[in-house]
Amino acid sequence: MAGNAMAVICPSSLTLILLFAFTLAPVAHAIWLNVPTTGTKCVSEEIQSNVVVLADYVVVSEDHGLIPTISVKVTSPYGNNLHHRENVTHGQFAFTTQEAGNYLACFWSDSHSHGGGEVSVNIDWKTGIAAKDWESVARKEKIEGVELELRKLEGAVEAIHENLLYLKSREAEMRTVSESTNGRVAWFSIMSLGICIAVSSLQVLYLKRFFQKKKLI
């Protein structure tokens, strides 16, 4: 009986664990942008280093005869160019992050290519475990079913662990900056108080000498 009960509980427990892990792990984002005829629309995401990023973008137009074109540029936190295309209706970019920070993807319309109006762009943005091709992994390693789900769970747990370490390091950096700022504010307050006392003392001495010269005191 115990064996049968275990056989019944394990799949549901595994499902709950997988749902919990994939909720915390990096996931895919479907984004809709309305790009104006003039100006640029950008999306950004703060990503840690050594994370795979995969994104597909496509222009969505009701007029299938004339699809407007756009230009795309993706840059790293340090301003390095990771992807740049012009006069396209769709495309894809993929890279592994080299430094932690905000990665920026900017889109602008090639207004000369259509009659005007906003251009709708659909972006499918995936990071981390969500960008991994699990079908290829299953075929290559010849795994399926529960074993494949366990491999996904392992990847999700690793991603969560890396995110927690990244958040911990960011918290330490912010705490250091906060403590440094508080120290500077304290020194500035002390200096301001000292200057106020010195100026007040000089004013008292000046007024005392002034009244003495006028023989008022």
Side-chain angles (χ1 to χ4, degrees), residues 116-132:
E118 293 184 338
V119 178
S120 297
V121 181
N122 176 251
I123 309 167
D124 185 16
W125 184 288
K126 300 176 182 179
T127 60
I129 190 173
K132 195 168 185 177

Side-chain angles (χ1 to χ4, degrees), residues 172-189:
E173 291 176 3
M174 293 179 66
R175 184 168 57 250
T176 301
V177 172
S178 178
E179 291 175 354
S180 175
T181 302
N182 290 338
R184 292 178 181 177
V185 170
W187 278 110
F188 179 77
S189 300

Side-chain angles (χ1 to χ4, degrees), residues 83-108:
H83 176 80
H84 188 199
R85 294 290 183 274
E86 295 183 355
N87 300 322
V88 295
T89 58
H90 65 279
Q92 182 185 81
F93 56 85
F95 57 87
T96 300
T97 59
Q98 300 297 322
E99 62 266 358
N102 280 317
Y103 284 79
L104 192 67
C106 292
F107 301 80
W108 62 93

Side-chain angles (χ1 to χ4, degrees), residues 66 159 192:
L66 179 61
S192 299

Side-chain angles (χ1 to χ4, degrees), residues 48-62:
Q48 63 187 38
S49 59
N50 297 321
V51 174
V52 176
V53 178
L54 175 64
D56 295 277
Y57 55 89
V58 59
V59 175
V60 180
S61 175
E62 296 181 355

Side-chain angles (χ1 to χ4, degrees), residues 2-3 13 31 42 57 59 71-72 92 118 133 139 142 156 171 176-177 191 194-195 202 216:
S13 301
I31 305 170
C42 299
Y57 55 89
V59 175
S71 296
V72 186
Q92 182 185 81
E118 293 184 338
D133 188 357
R139 289 194 300 267
K142 297 180 180 179
E171 181 186 3
T176 301
V177 172
M191 290 177 60
I195 291 173
L202 291 174
L216 296 176

Side-chain angles (χ1 to χ4, degrees), residues 5-215:
M6 184 66 70
V8 173
I9 293 172
C10 281
S12 59
S13 301
L14 177 61
T15 302
L16 291 175
I17 294 172
L18 283 171
L19 289 174
F20 177 73
F22 281 108
T23 301
L24 295 178
V27 295
H29 303 282
I31 305 170
W32 283 89
L33 283 183
N34 289 323
V35 182
T37 54
T38 59
T40 303
K41 273 286 184 73
C42 299
V43 294
S44 67
E45 184 175 359
E46 185 174 352
I47 311 173
Q48 63 187 38
S49 59
N50 297 321
V51 174
V52 176
V53 178
L54 175 64
D56 295 277
Y57 55 89
V58 59
V59 175
V60 180
S61 175
E62 296 181 355
D63 186 3
H64 298 287
L66 179 61
I67 301 178
T69 60
I70 58 172
S71 296
V72 186
K73 186 175 183 180
V74 183
T75 55
S76 71
Y78 294 158
N80 297 323
N81 190 9
L82 302 175
H83 176 80
H84 188 199
R85 294 290 183 274
E86 295 183 355
N87 300 322
V88 295
T89 58
H90 65 279
Q92 182 185 81
F93 56 85
F95 57 87
T96 300
T97 59
Q98 300 297 322
E99 62 266 358
N102 280 317
Y103 284 79
L104 192 67
C106 292
F107 301 80
W108 62 93
S109 172
D110 298 319
S111 57
H112 62 274
S113 63
H114 62 96
E118 293 184 338
V119 178
S120 297
V121 181
N122 176 251
I123 309 167
D124 185 16
W125 184 288
K126 300 176 182 179
T127 60
I129 190 173
K132 195 168 185 177
D133 188 357
W134 290 106
E135 293 183 0
S136 298
V137 173
R139 289 194 300 267
K140 183 178 180 180
E141 301 185 12
K142 297 180 180 179
I143 57 176
E144 60 182 8
V146 176
E147 189 176 0
L148 178 59
E149 297 302 321
L150 287 173
R151 182 62 61 85
K152 292 181 181 180
L153 177 59
E154 181 183 1
V157 171
E158 290 178 357
I160 294 170
H161 179 65
E162 292 175 357
N163 283 337
L164 290 176
L165 292 177
Y166 174 68
L167 291 174
K168 185 178 179 180
S169 64
R170 287 300 304 272
E171 181 186 3
E173 291 176 3
M174 293 179 66
R175 184 168 57 250
T176 301
V177 172
S178 178
E179 291 175 354
S180 175
T181 302
N182 290 338
R184 292 178 181 177
V185 170
W187 278 110
F188 179 77
S189 300
I190 293 173
M191 290 177 60
S192 299
L193 180 59
I195 291 173
C196 289
I197 293 173
V199 171
S200 299
S201 300
L202 291 174
Q203 286 180 339
V204 170
L205 291 174
Y206 173 78
L207 291 174
K208 183 178 180 181
R209 291 180 180 179
F210 175 78
F211 289 131
Q212 285 177 344
K213 287 182 178 180
K214 296 295 183 179
K215 295 181 181 181

